[in-house]
Short mmCIF file of all heavy atoms in Angstrom, two decimals:
data_model
loop_
_atom_site.label_atom_id
_atom_site.label_comp_id
_atom_site.label_asym_id
_atom_site.label_seq_id
_atom_site.Cartn_x
_atom_site.Cartn_y
_atom_site.Cartn_z
N SER A 165 65.43 110.92 54.53
CA SER A 165 65.70 112.25 53.99
C SER A 165 64.46 112.80 53.30
O SER A 165 63.62 112.06 52.78
CB SER A 165 66.87 112.20 53.01
OG SER A 165 66.57 111.37 51.91
N THR A 189 68.22 109.14 51.28
CA THR A 189 69.03 108.41 52.24
C THR A 189 68.25 108.18 53.52
O THR A 189 67.22 108.81 53.77
CB THR A 189 70.34 109.17 52.57
OG1 THR A 189 70.00 110.46 53.10
CG2 THR A 189 71.22 109.31 51.35
N ILE A 201 74.75 107.04 57.63
CA ILE A 201 73.92 107.44 56.50
C ILE A 201 73.94 106.30 55.48
O ILE A 201 74.99 105.77 55.16
CB ILE A 201 74.45 108.72 55.82
CG1 ILE A 201 74.81 109.77 56.87
CG2 ILE A 201 73.43 109.25 54.82
CD1 ILE A 201 73.66 110.38 57.56
N PHE A 210 77.18 105.06 53.32
CA PHE A 210 78.16 105.89 52.64
C PHE A 210 78.75 106.96 53.55
O PHE A 210 79.61 107.73 53.12
CB PHE A 210 77.62 106.48 51.34
CG PHE A 210 76.62 107.59 51.50
CD1 PHE A 210 77.04 108.89 51.72
CD2 PHE A 210 75.26 107.34 51.39
CE1 PHE A 210 76.13 109.92 51.84
CE2 PHE A 210 74.35 108.37 51.51
CZ PHE A 210 74.78 109.67 51.74
N ASN A 211 78.33 107.00 54.80
CA ASN A 211 78.97 107.92 55.74
C ASN A 211 78.68 107.48 57.17
O ASN A 211 77.65 106.87 57.45
CB ASN A 211 78.48 109.35 55.54
CG ASN A 211 79.59 110.36 55.71
OD1 ASN A 211 80.57 110.09 56.40
ND2 ASN A 211 79.45 111.52 55.09
N PHE A 213 79.15 109.25 61.14
CA PHE A 213 79.53 110.41 61.94
C PHE A 213 79.91 109.93 63.33
O PHE A 213 79.11 109.29 64.03
CB PHE A 213 78.37 111.41 62.06
CG PHE A 213 77.95 112.01 60.75
CD1 PHE A 213 76.62 112.35 60.54
CD2 PHE A 213 78.86 112.25 59.73
CE1 PHE A 213 76.21 112.92 59.34
CE2 PHE A 213 78.46 112.81 58.53
CZ PHE A 213 77.13 113.15 58.33
N TYR A 225 66.72 114.76 59.96
CA TYR A 225 67.17 115.48 58.78
C TYR A 225 66.59 116.89 58.79
O TYR A 225 65.43 117.09 59.19
CB TYR A 225 66.68 114.80 57.51
CG TYR A 225 67.49 113.62 57.05
CD1 TYR A 225 67.04 112.32 57.27
CD2 TYR A 225 68.68 113.78 56.36
CE1 TYR A 225 67.77 111.22 56.83
CE2 TYR A 225 69.42 112.70 55.91
CZ TYR A 225 68.95 111.42 56.15
OH TYR A 225 69.68 110.34 55.72
N GLY A 226 67.38 117.85 58.30
CA GLY A 226 66.85 119.18 58.09
C GLY A 226 66.05 119.24 56.80
O GLY A 226 66.05 118.30 56.00
N LEU A 230 68.16 123.71 54.98
CA LEU A 230 68.98 122.87 55.87
C LEU A 230 68.92 121.40 55.47
O LEU A 230 69.23 120.51 56.26
CB LEU A 230 68.49 123.02 57.32
CG LEU A 230 68.64 124.43 57.91
CD1 LEU A 230 67.95 124.53 59.26
CD2 LEU A 230 70.10 124.80 58.02
N THR A 231 68.56 121.13 54.21
CA THR A 231 68.40 119.76 53.74
C THR A 231 69.67 118.93 53.90
O THR A 231 69.59 117.73 54.13
CB THR A 231 67.98 119.76 52.25
OG1 THR A 231 66.71 120.41 52.14
CG2 THR A 231 67.85 118.37 51.70
N ASN A 232 70.82 119.55 53.82
CA ASN A 232 72.07 118.78 53.89
C ASN A 232 72.64 118.69 55.30
O ASN A 232 73.84 118.49 55.47
CB ASN A 232 73.10 119.39 52.95
CG ASN A 232 72.72 119.15 51.50
OD1 ASN A 232 72.56 118.02 51.07
ND2 ASN A 232 72.56 120.22 50.74
N THR A 233 71.77 118.83 56.30
CA THR A 233 72.23 118.72 57.69
C THR A 233 71.45 117.66 58.44
O THR A 233 70.33 117.29 58.07
CB THR A 233 72.10 120.06 58.44
OG1 THR A 233 70.70 120.41 58.52
CG2 THR A 233 72.85 121.17 57.73
N ILE A 234 72.08 117.18 59.51
CA ILE A 234 71.44 116.24 60.43
C ILE A 234 71.64 116.76 61.84
O ILE A 234 72.72 117.26 62.19
CB ILE A 234 72.05 114.83 60.30
CG1 ILE A 234 71.57 114.16 59.01
CG2 ILE A 234 71.69 113.95 61.49
CD1 ILE A 234 72.22 112.84 58.71
N TRP A 246 75.36 118.25 62.02
CA TRP A 246 76.33 117.63 61.11
C TRP A 246 76.06 118.05 59.67
O TRP A 246 74.91 118.25 59.29
CB TRP A 246 76.24 116.10 61.20
CG TRP A 246 76.29 115.57 62.59
CD1 TRP A 246 75.25 115.46 63.47
CD2 TRP A 246 77.43 115.05 63.28
NE1 TRP A 246 75.67 114.91 64.65
CE2 TRP A 246 77.01 114.64 64.57
CE3 TRP A 246 78.78 114.87 62.93
CZ2 TRP A 246 77.88 114.08 65.51
CZ3 TRP A 246 79.64 114.31 63.86
CH2 TRP A 246 79.20 113.93 65.13
N ASP A 247 77.12 118.15 58.88
CA ASP A 247 77.01 118.44 57.45
C ASP A 247 77.13 117.12 56.68
O ASP A 247 78.16 116.44 56.74
CB ASP A 247 78.13 119.39 57.03
CG ASP A 247 77.99 119.85 55.58
OD1 ASP A 247 77.73 119.01 54.70
OD2 ASP A 247 78.14 121.06 55.33
N ILE A 248 76.06 116.75 55.96
CA ILE A 248 76.04 115.47 55.26
C ILE A 248 77.08 115.42 54.15
O ILE A 248 77.75 114.42 53.94
CB ILE A 248 74.63 115.19 54.68
CG1 ILE A 248 73.60 115.09 55.80
CG2 ILE A 248 74.63 113.92 53.83
CD1 ILE A 248 72.16 115.04 55.32
N ARG A 249 77.25 116.54 53.44
CA ARG A 249 78.14 116.54 52.28
C ARG A 249 79.61 116.39 52.68
O ARG A 249 80.35 115.64 52.08
CB ARG A 249 77.94 117.82 51.47
CG ARG A 249 76.61 117.85 50.72
CD ARG A 249 76.29 119.21 50.16
NE ARG A 249 76.17 120.22 51.23
CZ ARG A 249 75.75 121.45 51.02
NH1 ARG A 249 75.43 121.84 49.81
NH2 ARG A 249 75.65 122.31 52.02
N SER A 250 80.01 117.11 53.73
CA SER A 250 81.42 117.05 54.13
C SER A 250 81.68 115.94 55.15
O SER A 250 82.82 115.54 55.36
CB SER A 250 81.86 118.39 54.74
OG SER A 250 81.22 118.58 56.00
N GLY A 251 80.59 115.44 55.78
CA GLY A 251 80.76 114.43 56.81
C GLY A 251 81.31 115.00 58.11
O GLY A 251 81.76 114.25 58.97
N GLN A 252 81.26 116.32 58.26
CA GLN A 252 81.85 116.97 59.43
C GLN A 252 80.78 117.47 60.39
O GLN A 252 79.66 117.77 60.00
CB GLN A 252 82.72 118.15 58.99
CG GLN A 252 83.87 117.78 58.08
CD GLN A 252 84.82 116.79 58.71
OE1 GLN A 252 85.32 117.01 59.80
NE2 GLN A 252 85.06 115.67 58.03
N ILE A 254 79.23 120.37 62.46
CA ILE A 254 79.18 121.83 62.29
C ILE A 254 79.17 122.53 63.65
O ILE A 254 79.88 123.51 63.86
CB ILE A 254 77.92 122.24 61.50
CG1 ILE A 254 77.86 121.52 60.15
CG2 ILE A 254 77.87 123.74 61.30
CD1 ILE A 254 76.52 121.68 59.44
#
Side-chain angles (χ1 to χ4, degrees):
S165 62
T189 59
I201 314 289
F210 73 82
N211 218 335
F213 296 148
Y225 279 102
L230 296 172
T231 297
N232 290 303
T233 64
I234 286 174
W246 310 83
D247 186 314
I248 297 171
R249 288 168 298 188
S250 70
Q252 299 301 306
I254 304 169

